[in-house]
Amino acid sequence: MDQKQDVVRLPSERLYAEELEALKELDQDVRPAGWQLSPKAVLTFLTGGSVKGFTITPKYIGNKRLVEMAIATLLTDRALLLIGEPGTAKSWLSENLTAAIHGDSGKVIQGTAGTSEEHIRYSWNYAMLLAQGPSDQAIIKSPIFRAMETGGIARFEEISRCASEVQDALISILSEKTISIPELGREVSASRGFSVIATANTRDRGVNEMSAALKRRFNIIVLPAPSDIETEVEIVRKRVGEISASYELRASLPEEEAVRKVVTIFRELRSGMTLDGKEKVKGPSGVISTAEAISLLTGSMALAGSFGSGQISEEDIAAGLQGAIVKDEEKDRLVWKEYLENVMKKRGATWRNLYYACSEMNN
């Protein structure tokens, strides 16, 4: 069996290995030190295109200029910070940038309340430390440490979830491009090509606000939610197709109308207004993001393939909507009921079956 079929999710450098190999072979532009592709080829990998007849699928659908700015940042000594609402593809862009530039997106720190300074710098194998004292063999290197040694890119996900003193451990690394190891009396200097891509969720502001000193070490790019419904429909349709193929779901892809209905509901609940601007809408307590819409439709395919006809039904979508929107049982149930009665019910025959299915689920 192909090893690719034995894992739930492949890293981007393996998932798109053929595209990366084709770009490397056909790339005629100058490649910066440590990069496997030129900046223009990285842009093509991320936004899609055709290179001498070879089709490159788009990985990020959105403002192309933002992607150009991200790539340009990584050509300098500045780190990159991607900020946005949940579901704006911050992690996806970070992973694919790293895969295109260095072919290794696996040097990742996941920011949490439990992330410590050791996760950023280094720690010790204490059995070896007790047996032979401080040595190179006893050091457990962080992803950032390893990226510095190889001239690679380290990814720091959800940096604002970490305590402020942990975040500030990055300041000297990003300024001096070194890690001091006082136990060994030496410093490790970063090889050319080293950088850090961090992501931060705007919903986490106030949790552990980044210091001004740390922010100055980053070029900050704000990733917006999809600006129009057509873009969001395209993103959802593309990602649902990729994810369902990975999981080998035994169901047909959702039809255009189903995707459009889900995206319409999410956009209206997210913005607090119907698409035509005629009626205000109350929003639920949870996040109503593009990523949630993708997850909803993927789950609907799993329902249809396992317990239905293989074609997504209104009942499958209704079940997904109930789970995505009603997170706070009391408040969100009322918000959702109000939307059903004041918005969806009035949309006529094309929405009627979905309205009935959602109403039944919400009772």
Side-chain angles (χ1 to χ4, degrees):
M1 182 181 290
D2 186 349
Q3 189 179 4
K4 286 187 176 182
Q5 303 303 316
D6 295 337
V7 296
V8 173
R9 182 185 181 280
L10 290 169
S12 289
E13 58 267 22
R14 290 184 58 198
L15 184 62
Y16 301 111
E18 291 184 7
E19 293 185 18
L20 288 170
E21 286 301 318
L23 282 169
K24 282 191 280 188
E25 184 177 337
L26 300 171
D27 189 8
Q28 300 297 317
D29 291 325
V30 176
R31 304 178 190 186
W35 288 37
Q36 66 174 356
L37 295 173
S38 67
K40 287 184 179 179
V42 172
L43 179 66
T44 300
F45 176 74
L46 289 163
T47 59
S50 180
V51 181
K52 296 185 178 179
F54 191 93
T55 300
I56 305 297
T57 59
K59 317 302 178 302
Y60 179 80
I61 300 172
N63 190 324
K64 185 176 180 180
R65 190 61 174 172
L66 293 179
V67 181
E68 292 175 343
M69 290 165 59
I71 296 169
T73 293
L74 297 171
L75 288 167
T76 71
D77 65 349
R78 302 277 288 177
L80 174 64
L81 176 60
L82 303 174
I83 294 180
E85 288 283 317
T88 48
K90 301 180 295 297
S91 296
W92 184 241
L93 180 56
S94 168
E95 179 180 344
N96 281 280
L97 271 169
T98 309
I101 292 171
H102 287 299
D104 177 11
S105 61
K107 297 181 178 70
V108 185
I109 297 171
Q110 181 61 55
T112 69
T115 302
S116 68
E117 187 173 336
E118 291 181 339
H119 292 107
I120 295 174
R121 299 169 66 84
Y122 61 89
S123 58
W124 296 96
N125 179 323
Y126 287 103
M128 295 183 69
L129 189 64
L130 290 171
Q132 62 188 42
S135 65
D136 287 330
Q137 292 72 32
I139 289 179
I140 300 174
K141 301 172 182 177
S142 72
I144 289 177
F145 194 125
R146 289 185 281 119
M148 290 177 69
E149 285 187 318
T150 60
I153 295 176
R155 298 166 51 213
F156 201 138
E157 294 294 317
E158 305 293 357
I159 189 172
S160 56
R161 301 299 300 178
C162 302
S164 299
E165 59 270 21
V166 175
Q167 296 178 24
D168 286 347
L170 267 178
I171 292 176
S172 62
I173 293 174
L174 296 181
S175 297
E176 307 300 328
K177 300 297 189 294
T178 61
I179 288 182
S180 175
I181 312 175
E183 297 90 344
L184 298 179
R186 65 182 177 87
E187 291 184 341
V188 174
S189 297
S191 299
R192 288 187 65 185
F194 165 72
S195 193
V196 173
I197 303 177
T199 65
N201 188 336
T202 52
R203 291 290 184 98
D204 289 338
R205 283 179 179 168
V207 176
N208 290 297
E209 188 68 29
M210 294 174 64
S211 67
L214 181 55
K215 285 182 178 178
R216 286 197 300 271
R217 272 66 182 183
F218 286 99
N219 275 1
I220 299 174
I221 294 177
V222 179
L223 298 181
S227 58
D228 58 79
I229 189 170
E230 300 302 330
T231 300
E232 190 161 4
V233 166
E234 184 181 355
I235 292 169
V236 171
R237 186 171 54 234
K238 177 180 182 298
R239 289 296 292 143
V240 168
E242 292 173 345
I243 293 170
S244 62
S246 175
Y247 286 112
E248 298 181 347
L249 299 179
R250 298 181 179 180
S252 300
L253 290 169
E255 295 181 356
E256 171 83 14
E257 183 181 4
V259 176
R260 192 167 292 274
K261 284 179 179 177
V262 170
V263 171
T264 296
I265 293 167
F266 274 43
R267 290 183 72 85
E268 290 179 336
L269 289 172
R270 191 163 63 223
S271 67
M273 184 74 68
T274 54
L275 293 186
D276 58 14
K278 293 182 179 179
E279 189 167 352
K280 290 185 177 180
V281 174
K282 290 181 181 177
S285 60
V287 175
I288 305 295
S289 68
T290 307
E292 290 281 335
I294 293 166
S295 178
L296 185 158
L297 287 166
T298 306
S300 297
M301 287 184 66
L303 278 174
S306 300
F307 305 107
S309 65
Q311 299 283 340
I312 293 179
S313 67
E314 307 285 6
E315 289 75 19
D316 296 326
I317 294 175
L321 285 166
Q322 184 76 11
I325 294 167
V326 182
K327 299 286 176 60
D328 182 299
E329 185 68 18
E330 187 173 340
K331 176 188 173 184
D332 291 344
R333 187 177 292 276
L334 292 174
V335 166
W336 184 220
K337 184 176 182 179
E338 187 174 312
Y339 179 87
L340 292 175
E341 298 302 320
N342 295 341
V343 179
M344 193 185 295
K345 186 177 181 180
K346 299 176 182 178
R347 285 196 161 138
T350 57
W351 285 75
R352 188 170 298 138
N353 289 338
L354 182 58
Y355 162 74
Y356 286 135
C358 290
S359 296
E360 184 176 347
M361 285 290 302
N362 201 46
N363 287 333

